[in-house]
């Protein structure tokens, strides 16, 4: 299995002093302990909290460097060109009339009108000396003619005898490009303009990287719908799915197939197989733990897929899944909002950007004071919230609480730890989350 770089997945428990200064609604600077509301005033104390610290793990290199394939030009919209496109013929591939009028040889001193006209799409007979033939805009200039005299209709026969300069109102063959000229460079997104240009150039097939298309499967019998609450009742929506879908759309992925499945191996396997047929990348949400009701791993195997070698971490089975179904990459996110958010931000987006050759987001970094105390050296990425107080920005580690949905509001970015300790009040650099 190749590597697409050192990615991060595991969470650990960190002891730290979790007090920091914030600005409350009365514009007063107060101390509060992590997990309390802004109005709660407490004295700093040493506590132990569970946080999502992402640590190294390798994903297959093919996930971010898929093989391109040839497709029909009409199927290439939204894809990325894998090679330069060269013109196969001259454009235009014949001398073309730019105006309705008389096709003539400019050197003739006297002319007579030839019966008939140039039929668009057909090659006309050569023009003899002293002849003038009617041609419509876009029509082929007959051999022997070198100019067009504009006229309203074929009834304007007198105009055929007018003096005209060579090349007047004629678009010469190859004046736009010659066969072998480069039309579009590799790495170009095939949009409306590119598609029209290539159609005009007579290109039939192009070598592309698959257009961005992803599938999201949320698992859980309690889920009624992915995004809309609809009828009242105990059923829930999948906020993790909504978050991931919005991230992908903001990142430029427009084709997203979303689905839900109850806690049933066969139902989950059927949905995964369906998404594998339709998408170039699959995300599942929920059921990634090692419990009896965590069914995602078994469902992947039931769908004929495979799961990559998983490495142990503190707490047992890693809270994620990496695998494939029919060659389509699958990344299983935990149902826990913090784990899902971190893996979506720090793993899913970079892989998607590389896989679909999309323009990656340029990370934004801010300076802040650390609002905790990590006494032992750690390596990984620590999720933090950013709170503005009288002393500026404070970065506080976000607690890993199962079902803790407030982190959608609180989580702001990550601190990169490289075998280091952090003390309260130490200056840190926070890399903000995308969007």
């Amino acid at each position: 299995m190749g590597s697409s770089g050192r990615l991060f997945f595991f969470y650990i428990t960190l002891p730290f002093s979790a007090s920091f200064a914030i600005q409350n609604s009365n514009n007063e600077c107060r101390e509060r302990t992590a997990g309390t509301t802004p109005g709660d005033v407490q004295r700093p104390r040493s506590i132990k909290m569970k946080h999502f610290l992402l640590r190294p793990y390798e994903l297959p290199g093919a996930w971010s460097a898929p093989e391109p394939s040839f497709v029909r030009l009409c199927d290439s919209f939204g894809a990325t060109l894998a090679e330069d496109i060269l013109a196969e013929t001259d454009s235009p591939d014949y001398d073309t009339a730019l105006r309705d009028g008389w096709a003539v040889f400019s050197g003739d001193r006297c002319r007579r009108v030839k019966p008939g006209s140039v039929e668009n799409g057909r090659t006309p007979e050569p023009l003899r000396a002293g002849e003038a033939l009617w041609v419509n805009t876009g029509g082929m200039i007959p051999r022997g003619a070198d100019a067009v005299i504009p006229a309203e209709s074929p009834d304007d026969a007198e105009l055929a005898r007018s003096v005209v300069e060579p090349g007047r109102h004629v678009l010469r063959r190859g004046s736009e490009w010659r066969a072998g000229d480069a039309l579009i460079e590799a790495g170009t997104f095939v949009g409306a303009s590119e598609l029209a240009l290539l159609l005009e150039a007579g290109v039939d097939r192009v070598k592309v990287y698959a257009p961005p298309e992803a599938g999201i499967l949320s698992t859980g019998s309690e889920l009624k719908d992915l995004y809309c609450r609809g009828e009242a009742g105990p059923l829930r929506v999948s906020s993790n799915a909504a978050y991931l879908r919005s991230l992908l759309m903001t990142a430029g992925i427009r084709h997203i197939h979303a689905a839900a499945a109850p806690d049933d191996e066969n139902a989950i396997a059927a949905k995964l197989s369906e998404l594998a047929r339709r998408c170039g990348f699959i995300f599942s949400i929920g059921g990634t733990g090692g419990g009896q009701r965590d069914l995602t791993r078994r469902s992947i195997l039931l769908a004929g897929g495979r799961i990559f070698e998983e490495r142990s971490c503190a707490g047992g089975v890693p809270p994620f899944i990496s695998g494939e179904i029919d060659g389509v990459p699958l990344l299983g996110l935990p149902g826990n909002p913090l784990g899902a958010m971190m893996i979506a931000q720090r793993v899913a987006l970079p892989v998607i950007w590389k896989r679909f050759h999309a323009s990656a987001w340029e990370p934004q970094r801010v300076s802040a004071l650390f609002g905790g105390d990590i006494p032992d050296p750690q390596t990984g990425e620590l999720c933090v919230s950013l709170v503005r107080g009288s002393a500026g920005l404070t970065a506080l580690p976000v607690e890993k609480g199962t079902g803790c949905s407030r982190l959608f509001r609180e989580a702001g970015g990550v601190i990169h730890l490289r075998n280091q300790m952090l003390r309260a009040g130490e200056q840190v650099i926070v890399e903000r989350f995308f969007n």
Side-chain angles (χ1 to χ4, degrees), residues 320-340:
F320 76 97
I321 299 172
S322 60
E324 289 181 353
I325 298 179
D326 295 332
V328 178
L330 183 148
L331 189 61
L333 280 62
N336 173 272
L338 178 55

Side-chain angles (χ1 to χ4, degrees), residues 8 22 24 65 129 146 149 159 193 195 239 264 266 268 375 410:
F8 300 87
I22 66 164
N24 70 5
D146 66 353
I149 301 172
L159 291 176
S193 299
L195 190 64
S239 55
D264 178 83
N266 292 309
I268 296 173
E410 295 180 355

Side-chain angles (χ1 to χ4, degrees), residues 81-229:
L81 294 175
E83 61 183 10
D84 295 343
I85 302 297
L86 305 182
E88 298 179 3
T89 61
D90 296 342
S91 178
D93 58 0
Y94 53 81
D95 290 349
T96 306
L98 295 176
R99 296 283 298 276
D100 293 349
W102 299 103
V104 300
F105 174 62
S106 60
D108 287 339
R109 292 175 178 251
C110 59
R111 304 185 186 96
R112 62 185 179 281
V113 172
K114 181 179 181 179
S117 63
V118 175
E119 295 184 36
N120 286 358
R122 292 194 175 187
T123 301
E125 295 181 358
L127 202 65
R128 297 177 181 176
E131 288 185 332
L133 181 64
W134 181 263
V135 62
N136 293 316
T137 301
M140 180 184 294
I141 300 295
R143 194 169 43 146
D146 66 353
V148 173
I149 301 172
E152 292 290 332
S153 75
D155 295 333
D156 298 327
E158 287 297 321
L159 291 176
R161 299 178 176 85
S162 302
V163 177
V164 64
E165 297 175 357
R168 188 68 172 167
H169 302 304
V170 174
L171 182 65
R172 290 296 185 186
R173 173 174 180 165
S175 57
E176 293 199 64
W177 61 73
R178 290 288 188 182
D181 287 351
L183 297 179
I184 306 179
E185 295 181 348
T188 302
F189 174 84
V190 181
S193 299
E194 291 75 16
L195 190 64
L197 177 65
L198 295 178
L199 281 170
E200 187 67 29
V203 175
D204 295 321
R205 295 174 65 82
V206 289
K207 192 175 186 179
V208 299
Y209 296 102
E213 196 161 3
I216 301 175
L217 177 64
S218 295
T219 62
S221 298
E222 75 279 11
L223 298 178
K224 173 177 174 55
D225 192 87
L226 293 182
Y227 316 118
C228 303
R229 291 201 173 276

Side-chain angles (χ1 to χ4, degrees), residues 217-220 263-265 268-269 272 283-289 291-303 307 320-322 325 330-335:
L217 177 64
S218 295
T219 62
D263 290 321
D264 178 83
E265 292 181 26
I268 296 173
L272 289 174
F283 297 95
S284 68
I285 299 177
T288 62
Q292 184 177 0
R293 298 301 298 168
D294 292 315
L295 307 177
T296 304
R297 286 177 173 81
R298 299 202 294 270
S299 300
I300 292 172
L301 299 178
L302 187 61
I307 297 173
F320 76 97
I321 299 172
S322 60
I325 298 179
L330 183 148
L331 189 61
L333 280 62

Side-chain angles (χ1 to χ4, degrees), residues 246-314:
S246 299
L247 273 185
L248 295 176
M249 292 184 67
T250 307
I253 311 302
R254 294 290 177 262
H255 302 291
I256 301 174
H257 305 279
D263 290 321
D264 178 83
E265 292 181 26
N266 292 309
I268 296 173
K271 288 289 186 180
L272 289 174
S273 297
E274 179 183 345
L275 290 176
R277 290 191 295 268
R278 304 176 65 182
C279 306
F281 206 104
I282 303 172
F283 297 95
S284 68
I285 299 177
T288 62
Q292 184 177 0
R293 298 301 298 168
D294 292 315
L295 307 177
T296 304
R297 286 177 173 81
R298 299 202 294 270
S299 300
I300 292 172
L301 299 178
L302 187 61
R306 64 180 180 131
I307 297 173
F308 298 134
E309 178 186 358
E310 296 179 332
R311 304 169 188 185
S312 62
C313 67

Side-chain angles (χ1 to χ4, degrees), residues 2-142:
S3 172
S4 60
R6 295 177 66 83
L7 303 178
F8 300 87
F9 282 102
F10 308 124
Y11 67 87
I12 64 171
T13 300
L14 296 178
F16 67 96
S17 175
S19 64
F20 65 104
I22 66 164
Q23 197 80 20
N24 70 5
S25 59
N26 296 322
N27 206 34
E28 297 173 349
C29 185
R30 295 191 175 185
E31 293 283 317
R32 78 171 173 94
T33 303
T36 65
T37 61
D40 294 333
V41 181
Q42 298 187 12
R43 298 181 63 84
R45 58 191 179 94
S46 181
I47 59 176
K48 276 197 173 187
M49 301 176 67
K50 186 172 285 189
H51 303 282
F52 213 89
L53 181 65
L54 298 178
R55 286 186 166 175
Y57 184 84
E58 294 181 352
L59 289 176
W63 278 23
S64 56
E67 290 295 323
S69 60
F70 282 98
V71 300
R72 296 181 304 168
L73 180 62
C74 58
D75 296 326
S76 69
F77 185 80
T80 301
L81 294 175
E83 61 183 10
D84 295 343
I85 302 297
L86 305 182
E88 298 179 3
T89 61
D90 296 342
S91 178
D93 58 0
Y94 53 81
D95 290 349
T96 306
L98 295 176
R99 296 283 298 276
D100 293 349
W102 299 103
V104 300
F105 174 62
S106 60
D108 287 339
R109 292 175 178 251
C110 59
R111 304 185 186 96
R112 62 185 179 281
V113 172
K114 181 179 181 179
S117 63
V118 175
E119 295 184 36
N120 286 358
R122 292 194 175 187
T123 301
E125 295 181 358
L127 202 65
R128 297 177 181 176
E131 288 185 332
L133 181 64
W134 181 263
V135 62
N136 293 316
T137 301
M140 180 184 294
I141 300 295

Side-chain angles (χ1 to χ4, degrees), residues 399-434:
E399 180 182 1
K400 180 190 180 295
T402 301
C404 181
S405 298
R406 68 174 183 271
L407 72 93
F408 289 122
R409 177 192 66 205
E410 295 180 355
V414 296
I415 297 173
H416 296 270
L417 300 175
R418 296 176 177 84
N419 192 32
Q420 65 188 102
M421 303 175 291
L422 283 179
R423 298 298 184 185
E426 187 174 337
Q427 201 79 25
V428 293
I429 298 298
V430 178
E431 186 172 312
R432 288 186 178 274
F433 282 149
F434 174 73

